[in-house]
Amino acid sequence: MLLAAGGDDTGELYSAMRSFAGQGDDRRIALAERYRAAFGAAAPVLDTYAEGCYDGVHLAAALAAAGLLTVRDGRSGAVRLLGGDDRAARLAWSAAPLGPPPAATYLARADGLDLAVIARL
């Protein structure tokens, strides 16, 4: 959106999402490194939608590992694995290189063509 609009320098444009391309936490950096190693430096920007897809694939694998990838158990199993800190949830996520996705949401302010994270909500 910022690129299509030519950027924003007013300091008045904000966005709230689970992650941003320029976010510097350890999980985001590790994911960016894995992405770059797999697809090269010319790959499209690793945005929050791509990260969500990555996490969704690993959630499906974790549900399968926990025996919860069924029509009957899928929804409750996903809630349990995404919010749980019990042994079964940890075991199901053990094959995911970065573990379960964080539940945090961040607020970012437009800075030119980038969104700079300013707060964890």
Side-chain angles (χ1 to χ4, degrees):
M1 177 182 93
L2 281 176
L3 185 58
D8 182 84
D9 291 318
T10 66
E12 300 295 323
L13 181 63
Y14 293 85
S15 179
M17 297 180 88
R18 195 173 66 98
S19 69
F20 293 91
Q23 196 168 317
D25 62 83
D26 290 343
R27 186 178 193 276
R28 181 69 185 183
I29 292 168
L31 180 58
E33 288 171 354
R34 295 175 65 80
Y35 181 76
R36 198 171 8 268
F39 302 108
V45 173
L46 177 62
D47 61 13
T48 193
Y49 304 107
E51 184 176 355
C53 183
Y54 174 90
D55 289 334
V57 167
H58 284 289
L59 173 61
L63 285 167
L68 299 171
L69 192 59
T70 66
V71 172
R72 187 178 60 103
D73 298 327
R75 182 180 176 136
S76 62
V79 169
R80 178 179 172 199
L81 292 183
L82 290 171
D85 193 29
D86 60 16
R87 184 179 184 284
R90 286 191 302 274
L91 182 61
W93 280 107
S94 66
L98 303 176
T105 301
Y106 297 91
L107 179 66
R109 181 176 45 230
D111 181 15
L113 293 175
D114 293 322
L115 287 163
V117 175
I118 60 171
R120 182 177 174 169
L121 305 175

